[in-house]
Amino acid sequence: PPISPFAIQFDAEAATLTPEGPTLTRRMSALDGLFKDHDAWQQAVADGDPVVYSVQSTPVPEVDRELPQSITSIEAGTTAGEFWMTKGHQHPNHQGEIYLALHGTGGLLMFDGTETQWIDMVPGTIGYIPPGWAHRSVNVGADPYKFLAVYPGGAGHDYGWVLEHGMGKRAYAVTDGFELREF
Ligand code: PA5
Ligand code: NI
C-alpha cells in the first residue's frame, strides 16, 4: 500500500529518527575483503567480531519514487592502522544522495572509477554524492561518527562494485589525524 504523509522526529543531538524502521548492524565479519590487511581483519573477527557500524532507518520503503532516510553510526577504531568504515557501494542506476554529519569526525570517500574525492565531515557538513560516484564513510575520530543519509528509494546498493574496483584510497591513522593513501 502507498505510504501516507507522516512526521519524523529528528534529534540531531541524539542522532535518532522516530518512528524507527529496520536497523542494520554490521560486525567486522561483514567487511570481508575491504580492509587492506586481510590477516588483521581475520584476527579482529576472531577477537570477538566487534560491531563496526549500524544503520537505523525510518519506515519509508526502499522502492522507486520514495525518499528514505537513515542514520549511520560508525564506531571508532582501526584495523592495522586503517580507520573503521562502511562497506561502501555504488548505486546501480547512478542516482545521487546526500549525507548530513551529526556527530564525531568523519570523511566521505567517493570514487567514480578513475578519481577519488574526500569530503571532511563534521557536524553540519552536507556531503553531496553525485550520480555515478561510489561512496564510503570513514570514522577518523575517537568518538562514534554519525550522519543522516537521504536517498532515492530505488537507488539500491551495489557492494560488488566496490569489491571489484576498490575506492582508490584508504584512510590511515597518523599521529595527528588521518592520511589518505593509494595502497
Ligand atoms: O544510503 C547510504 O548510502 C547509507 O545509508 C549507507 O547505506 C550506510 O551508511 C551504510 O553503508 P553501506 O551501505 O555501504 O554498508
Ligand atoms: Ni548510497
Side-chain angles (χ1 to χ4, degrees):
I3 192 161
S4 299
F6 71 110
I8 297 161
Q9 300 306 322
F10 169 55
D11 186 335
E13 200 62 31
T16 55
L17 295 167
T18 312
E20 290 189 18
T23 298
L24 176 81
T25 301
R26 291 217 209 272
R27 293 182 176 275
M28 188 57 85
S29 50
L31 279 75
D32 191 4
L34 299 175
F35 288 100
K36 176 73 183 173
D37 188 331
H38 189 264
D39 290 344
W41 167 80
Q42 214 157 33
Q43 195 58 54
V45 172
D47 290 346
D49 195 14
V51 170
V52 178
Y53 62 98
S54 62
V55 186
Q56 187 230 310
S57 33
T58 63
V60 178
E62 289 192 339
V63 299
D64 209 25
R65 301 194 299 145
E66 297 283 0
L67 195 64
Q69 325 84 31
S70 63
I71 290 177
T72 301
S73 304
I74 309 176
E75 298 302 319
T78 56
T79 295
E82 194 176 351
F83 277 115
W84 285 5
M85 60 195 182
T86 60
K87 290 176 70 167
H89 59 271
Q90 177 68 280
H91 294 159
N93 53 14
H94 287 187
Q95 283 180 290
E97 179 165 7
I98 57 168
Y99 287 172
L100 167 64
L102 303 174
H103 183 89
T105 315
L108 170 49
L109 181 68
M110 291 178 275
F111 184 50
D112 69 352
T114 305
E115 191 192 337
T116 299
Q117 290 267 350
W118 173 272
I119 296 177
D120 288 315
M121 298 289 287
V122 294
T125 307
I126 291 179
Y128 179 60
I129 301 159
W133 288 76
H135 39 289
R136 163 179 289 162
S137 298
V138 188
N139 185 351
V140 297
D143 271 348
Y145 165 52
K146 305 184 183 191
F147 64 95
L148 171 75
V150 182
Y151 54 100
H157 300 85
D158 183 354
Y159 296 105
W161 192 95
V162 169
L163 284 170
E164 187 178 337
H165 302 277
M167 291 295 295
K169 290 184 181 170
R170 299 171 176 281
Y172 286 93
V174 292
T175 315
D176 48 3
F178 73 97
E179 187 175 273
L180 295 177
R181 298 187 195 146
E182 278 186 23
F183 50 85

